[in-house]
Amino acid sequence: MLVPHHIENLRPYEAGKSIESLQAESGLTEIYKLGSNENPLGPSPKVAEAIQKTIHQIFRYPDTKASRLREALAKRFKVKIENCVVGNGSEGIMSAIIGTFLHDKDEVLTASCTFTGFFVLTRARGLKLNTVPLKGFCFDLDAMAAAITPNTKIIFLCNPNNPTGTIFTRKEFERFMTKVPEGTLVILDEAYAEFALDNPDFPDSMSYRLDNCITLRTFSKVYGLAGMRIGYGFAHENLIQYILKVKLPFEPSVLAQAAAAAALEDQAFVEETLRVVREGRDFFVNSFKDIGLRVLPSEANFVTLVFNSEEEAMQIYEFLLKKGIIVRPLKNFGMEEGLRISVGKKEENIKCIEALQEIVKA
Ligand SMILES: Cc1ncc(COP(=O)(O)O)c(C=O)c1O
């Protein structure tokens, strides 16, 4: 056989439905994409400017060290450049981490319902993936600590968690870290951290200095650069040095590096995004409760509804699609009865609520 069993049997990552595919299927012209947790405001205008300025440089290979961007990140987060890594999305860095630290017998531990991209990356390497169920839709860190074995090499935590939007607290995290052996690496996926930083219970990983932790963040969400593919991470310089050996030398691209550097400077855009998302999130949560729907408390740029069954969730999903509203069914995440809805612009949120009111009444 050409490929190993684990590749033959691998279920690839399934992205949220695109506007183009819904248009092609339905002929609808007015479509609202609330399925992929993208920034409702688009990118910062300063990013467009930076891309235009850089476009004539794309015949050159990118700076393999991404020095300008890493320096800017180091300055912003008060660390050294040696503590920073950038890659093709935070998922690109995740892939490099898996390639760097895992041997064949190593095991990976995470929650059963979290970012599926990580599952695909570990399964693509044929590695053993152990999962612990969520408790009350949150990471159960005590149960995860109890599930650590001598073979556990990487623990993947996602905070706020995708797809639930919930967080684990400072206290829970600090207790957990006392139980993690030194030789086990903890990945803290904080793709949605910016939306949670105003919560004093949120354990901002950048406020800790833990030698066996890697923080992963992204320009895809609050910075509005999902299509550019650029993410960043922080860790002890020894860990970063190994990741840099394995990471593809020319990622991220010339344009992605320039776009991210410009995005990082435009903090007014970030503030505006946070304002729009928090306002939209409150509107969603209050409206869902008024309609009588069960919604999980969210610290991210999306909210998750819990229905009585997969059938009910899918019925609502299909109804919303007919109205041109794309949300995310959560079967692939192991939460069949859930639907995840990204916070959009005000008018998009209102459309979504009106459609939900209609189907719930019916
Ligand atoms: C929790 C989480 N981590 C990582 C990613 C991947 O982000 P990136 O676009 O930086 O690869 C996503 C994307 O949705 C996510 O939800």
Side-chain angles (χ1 to χ4, degrees):
M1 195 161 67
L2 192 60
V3 293
H5 275 298
H6 61 268
I7 300 294
E8 183 83 17
N9 300 326
L10 185 67
R11 253 196 21 219
Y13 182 77
E14 247 181 69
K17 200 175 195 57
S18 69
I19 292 179
E20 294 73 19
S21 70
L22 182 57
Q23 246 159 8
E25 282 163 25
S26 67
L28 288 167
T29 49
E30 220 175 293
I31 291 178
Y32 307 92
K33 189 175 180 224
L34 303 178
S36 300
N37 302 339
E38 294 152 347
N39 192 319
L41 303 181
S44 147
K46 299 212 166 121
V47 167
E49 252 171 59
I51 289 176
Q52 264 156 15
K53 265 195 210 154
T54 317
I55 197 91
H56 57 278
Q57 290 297 332
I58 60 168
F59 72 104
R60 300 238 181 254
Y61 282 100
D63 170 13
T64 54
K65 295 199 169 92
S67 301
R68 181 175 158 224
L69 178 59
R70 285 169 66 225
E71 259 161 32
L73 285 165
K75 197 166 159 211
R76 166 70 47 85
F77 288 90
K78 299 186 173 55
V79 292
K80 287 180 292 183
I81 188 169
E82 291 82 4
N83 300 117
C84 308
V85 59
V86 293
N88 283 347
S90 53
E91 213 174 344
I93 306 174
M94 256 178 234
S95 173
I97 293 170
I98 288 170
T100 305
F101 295 101
L102 294 173
H103 302 271
D104 296 345
K105 293 275 180 288
D106 290 337
E107 294 176 11
V108 173
L109 177 65
T110 186
S112 56
C113 180
T114 186
F115 179 57
T116 50
F118 183 75
F119 292 4
V120 177
L121 288 173
T122 47
R123 287 183 177 136
R125 281 283 309 277
L127 295 158
K128 188 158 181 230
L129 178 71
N130 299 314
T131 60
V132 172
L134 298 182
K135 187 174 171 188
F137 298 100
C138 297
F139 262 73
D140 184 353
L141 292 188
D142 288 335
M144 282 186 69
I148 295 171
T149 74
N151 289 334
T152 307
K153 185 63 159 296
I154 287 188
I155 301 175
F156 177 82
L157 305 179
C158 186
N159 207 31
N161 187 33
N162 178 12
T164 54
T166 52
I167 61 163
F168 52 79
T169 64
R170 259 176 193 283
K171 226 167 115 183
E172 289 166 325
F173 174 63
E174 286 167 17
R175 187 168 65 227
F176 176 74
M177 286 309 297
T178 64
K179 298 177 194 161
V180 176
E182 267 176 30
T184 301
L185 207 59
V186 176
I187 300 178
L188 274 159
D189 181 341
E190 295 185 339
Y192 303 96
E194 294 87 352
F195 304 103
L197 286 173
D198 62 334
N199 182 340
D201 281 339
F202 178 73
D204 173 3
S205 67
M206 293 309 291
S207 65
Y208 297 89
R209 288 288 179 269
L210 299 160
D211 290 352
N212 58 342
C213 274
I214 300 179
T215 296
L216 290 183
R217 294 203 178 167
T218 183
F219 284 97
S220 297
K221 309 295 174 186
V222 80
Y223 292 100
L225 297 183
M228 283 307 286
R229 309 307 306 129
I230 183 153
Y232 57 105
F234 303 102
H236 190 283
E237 56 213 66
N238 290 346
L239 301 182
I240 296 290
Q241 166 206 318
Y242 294 128
I243 298 169
L244 291 179
K245 284 189 185 184
V246 171
K247 181 190 87 68
L248 292 177
F250 295 116
E251 66 168 302
S253 72
V254 167
L255 290 184
Q257 290 187 32
L264 199 60
E265 274 172 27
D266 194 354
Q267 283 303 307
F269 176 82
V270 169
E271 288 307 319
E272 179 60 5
T273 299
L274 292 176
R275 188 191 66 74
V276 168
V277 166
R278 286 183 184 136
E279 215 174 275
R281 196 168 62 188
D282 288 347
F283 169 73
F284 264 160
V285 169
N286 293 332
S287 307
F288 293 145
K289 284 184 181 159
D290 288 346
I291 304 173
L293 296 172
R294 181 172 179 204
V295 57
L296 301 181
S298 171
E299 301 284 345
N301 64 345
F302 57 85
V303 286
T304 297
L305 293 173
V306 184
F307 294 94
N308 294 314
S309 63
E310 180 181 346
E311 291 69 39
E312 202 177 297
M314 289 313 287
Q315 208 184 346
I316 305 260
Y317 171 68
E318 297 293 344
F319 178 84
L320 291 175
L321 274 188
K322 288 201 182 94
K323 297 269 174 190
I325 302 165
I326 301 172
V327 302
R328 189 70 165 264
L330 298 180
K331 186 175 177 157
N332 285 347
F333 287 79
M335 195 178 156
E336 292 78 4
E337 73 286 24
L339 284 185
R340 195 191 69 194
I341 307 181
S342 310
V343 177
K345 288 199 195 95
K346 193 171 177 180
E347 59 274 21
E348 296 175 313
N349 302 337
I350 291 171
K351 281 269 179 217
C352 181
I353 292 297
E354 283 172 354
L356 282 168
Q357 276 165 337
E358 194 182 322
I359 182 157
V360 169
K361 249 190 225 149

